[in-house]
Amino acid sequence: MKKFKVKTPVETFNGTRHGVRFENGEVVAELNEQTVKEFESWGYLVEEIVEEKPKKAQKKNEK
């Protein structure tokens, strides 16, 4: 599953939808595709979080 940031249309919403706990209308959670589609159909703003992997330090060639 991918990680998403979800915002409800009501910024003060505190509750659970689809087993996801919202506080002040926001949550960051791993969601399946069906849940994402349902949140979007309800007017929720859904943004995928893309985590950058840290780059490995390049080894210097010693001569």
Side-chain angles (χ1 to χ4, degrees):
M1 284 192 280
K2 296 179 182 178
K3 190 178 275 190
F4 294 88
K5 180 175 184 177
V6 184
K7 291 184 179 183
T8 66
V10 180
E11 293 180 9
T12 58
F13 175 70
N14 294 308
T16 303
R17 293 288 184 266
H18 269 293
V20 179
R21 175 80 178 131
F22 288 84
E23 290 187 26
N24 298 320
E26 293 187 11
V27 70
V28 173
E30 289 185 355
L31 305 172
N32 63 39
E33 192 174 321
Q34 182 62 36
T35 302
V36 169
K37 287 179 182 179
E38 288 189 28
F39 283 153
E40 289 174 334
S41 74
W42 298 338
Y44 290 21
L45 177 62
V46 181
E47 299 175 1
E48 183 176 351
I49 297 173
V50 179
E51 296 180 7
E52 293 183 22
K53 295 181 181 179
K55 295 180 181 178
K56 292 183 180 180
Q58 292 181 346
K59 294 181 181 179
K60 294 182 180 180
N61 292 333
E62 295 181 11
K63 293 183 180 180

